Amino acid sequence: MRYLSFFAFLILLTSSCVHQNITTLDEQMTAALVTLSPLSTTDYFVFPKAGNYAAIPNQDPRNPITKEKVTLGQLLYFE
């Protein structure tokens, strides 16, 4: 009886195991960004190098970002 109980427990244990795909938060965030990007890459959300103000997205063409404006912003907000 003891062997039968152990065998039944072993069968129950192995049959109830289900493989789950566990993804990290970083993988979930990357997948969401790729889905939302019009280019289907995360490169769309990366800011350009410092000093390349023309490459910053969503600028008003009548009021572009300049070095002087960035310097003023740094003085006002990062003192």
Side-chain angles (χ1 to χ4, degrees), residues 3 6-7 9-10 24 39 46 57 60-61 65-66:
Y3 292 116
F6 178 73
F7 186 67
F9 176 74
L10 189 61
T24 64
L39 305 175
V46 176
D60 183 4
I65 297 175
T66 63

Side-chain angles (χ1 to χ4, degrees), residues 1-42:
M1 184 70 171
R2 192 177 285 180
Y3 292 116
L4 183 60
S5 297
F6 178 73
F7 186 67
F9 176 74
L10 189 61
I11 289 175
L12 179 66
L13 182 67
T14 57
S15 65
S16 64
C17 294
V18 178
H19 178 69
Q20 296 177 353
N21 278 339
I22 298 174
T23 58
T24 64
L25 188 58
D26 288 338
E27 292 170 339
Q28 292 173 6
M29 180 65 78
T30 302
L33 289 174
V34 167
T35 303
L36 294 172
S37 171
L39 305 175
S40 296
T41 64
T42 56

Side-chain angles (χ1 to χ4, degrees), residues 44-74:
Y44 178 76
F45 297 103
V46 176
F47 276 106
K49 300 285 183 194
N52 189 6
Y53 305 122
I56 296 175
N58 299 327
Q59 290 189 47
D60 183 4
R62 296 171 293 172
N63 190 15
I65 297 175
T66 63
K67 182 176 181 177
E68 292 78 18
K69 291 179 185 177
V70 171
T71 304
L72 177 62
Q74 289 173 341

